[in-house]
Amino acid sequence: MNKKKVICPGSFDPVTLGHLDIITRASKMFDCVYVAALVNSSKNPSFSIEERMELMREAVRELDNVQVVSFEGLLAEYCRKNNIDAIVKGLRAVSDFEYEFQMAIANKKLYPQLETIFLTADSDSMYLSSSMVREIGRYGGDISNFVPACVHDRIVARLRETNGK
Ligand code: PNS
């Protein structure tokens, strides 16, 4: 049987409930889900790749068909080498669309068999972003509605360390 493999790529700096919602829904739709914590060359991350992977691993621990990975290089090449059928991404608002559309087209040019599937963000996650979590957490605000409960304390502690930096 041809098992459908998909990948949910992102910076995940750090993981939010919005990311977890998309990954959970993808895990119900496909046989195997790779979650890839990657470098976005236009962003300056607050959490290291290892920290982001560890937080994500904890967040998806109960999803049996999900594995967390990271790699250097092009997403499209990773998908080609690992026979991944599609990229799954969440779309929050119109403002996400242009950037996501551009990446979807570029990835398809690089690997024409690769599809990009967009899942509409849950209404509770429409406004949510990792940058908002970082900003609120750094200044001691309550982020418990924004990040998975199992990693909440670690994210809070880590953001307090970097308060104002
Ligand atoms: O959460 P983000 O920052 O929007 O995720 C962007 C990410 C990491 C998915 C994108 O930058 C990416 O795919 N990086 C890997 C390198 C690559 O393939 N770049 C070309 C994308 S068209």
Side-chain angles (χ1 to χ4, degrees):
M1 195 179 73
N2 183 18
K3 294 205 165 188
K4 285 288 169 208
K5 286 204 251 179
V6 299
I7 192 162
C8 296
S11 301
F12 307 124
D13 186 36
V15 56
T16 68
L17 284 174
H19 299 136
L20 187 56
D21 172 58
I22 297 294
I23 294 163
T24 304
R25 285 158 61 197
S27 77
K28 291 180 184 151
M29 297 167 70
F30 301 99
D31 301 302
C32 173
V33 179
Y34 291 77
V35 176
L38 301 180
V39 172
N40 179 338
S41 53
S42 59
K43 288 182 182 168
N44 188 13
S46 296
F47 291 76
S48 70
I49 282 280
E50 290 72 27
E51 286 173 315
R52 290 184 257 154
M53 288 178 77
E54 242 185 87
L55 293 168
M56 184 58 87
R57 273 201 195 102
E58 186 62 30
V60 300
R61 206 153 48 108
E62 286 175 8
L63 302 173
D64 291 340
N65 59 342
V66 175
Q67 56 181 302
V68 180
V69 299
S70 186
F71 53 86
E72 279 179 28
L74 290 174
L75 177 60
E77 286 310 315
Y78 184 85
C79 293
R80 189 200 303 272
K81 281 188 199 129
N82 291 281
N83 296 316
I84 291 170
D85 303 287
I87 297 167
V88 174
K89 296 216 80 177
L91 266 191
R92 288 167 301 188
V94 180
S95 52
D96 279 346
F97 186 76
E98 201 176 328
Y99 166 66
E100 295 295 348
F101 195 67
Q102 197 180 16
M103 278 202 291
I105 291 174
N107 282 319
K108 200 156 176 55
K109 289 272 178 223
L110 292 167
Y111 178 29
Q113 273 162 261
L114 186 63
E115 298 294 346
T116 297
I117 298 167
F118 293 113
L119 297 183
T120 316
D122 180 78
S123 58
D124 287 341
S125 312
M126 279 310 223
Y127 64 93
L128 198 50
S129 68
S130 295
S131 59
M132 200 182 80
V133 166
R134 292 196 303 271
E135 177 83 359
I136 296 172
R138 256 181 210 145
Y139 296 108
D142 180 5
I143 57 166
S144 55
N145 286 324
F146 311 143
V147 299
C150 59
V151 290
H152 170 270
D153 291 356
R154 286 170 66 185
I155 294 175
V156 167
R158 179 65 173 67
L159 288 173
R160 286 201 179 145
E161 274 170 28
T162 54
N163 180 9
K165 282 177 211 155

